Amino acid sequence: MIFKVPNVASYKLEDSKKIQLIDIPGADRLRFNAVQKFKSSVCGIILVINSEKIQKEVRDVAELLFSLLTDEKIHRMNPRLLIAANQQDCAIAKKWI
């Protein structure tokens, strides 16, 4: 199977370092393939959680986070981690995330 990353952006930081942001899809199968492809070069992880659906998906989110943090290749890279919650403006969104 050929894997195509839908969203990739390159940025040049103030100290002239270049970084590449890769948007990994949320679907399990697509996400798995993308993580396998890029995990050996990861320097940071931004996990965006849908705060409107977290009550239904908390187990899936926890399993994803656990699998990322315990993956041997990712662990060796010692990436920085940012967890962000989107859709905080929705009435049923969890405010404690």
Side-chain angles (χ1 to χ4, degrees):
M1 175 202 292
I2 297 175
F3 177 75
K4 182 180 175 191
V5 177
N7 295 314
V8 177
S10 295
Y11 292 95
K12 190 173 183 178
L13 302 176
E14 291 178 11
D15 60 358
S16 297
K17 286 184 182 178
K18 287 186 178 181
I19 63 168
Q20 190 174 45
L21 295 178
I22 302 166
D23 181 14
I24 304 289
D28 288 340
R29 194 182 88 216
L30 297 173
R31 182 176 56 225
F32 177 80
N33 291 334
V35 168
Q36 296 306 308
K37 182 175 181 177
F38 296 107
K39 70 181 179 180
S40 62
S41 62
V42 67
C43 61
I45 297 171
I46 302 171
L47 180 62
V48 180
I49 298 170
N50 183 342
S51 59
E52 189 177 21
K53 296 180 180 181
I54 190 63
Q55 285 182 313
K56 295 177 185 174
E57 298 175 358
V58 70
R59 183 177 297 251
D60 294 335
V61 171
E63 288 175 358
L64 170 61
L65 188 56
F66 181 81
S67 69
L68 291 172
L69 296 178
T70 58
D71 184 280
E72 190 174 321
K73 282 187 181 178
I74 294 174
H75 184 71
R76 263 190 260 130
M77 299 302 293
N78 195 23
R80 295 179 183 202
L81 175 65
L82 171 66
I83 300 175
N86 69 351
Q87 299 191 17
Q88 286 285 300
D89 58 329
C90 295
I92 64 170
K94 281 290 194 186
K95 302 297 182 194
W96 53 268
I97 295 179

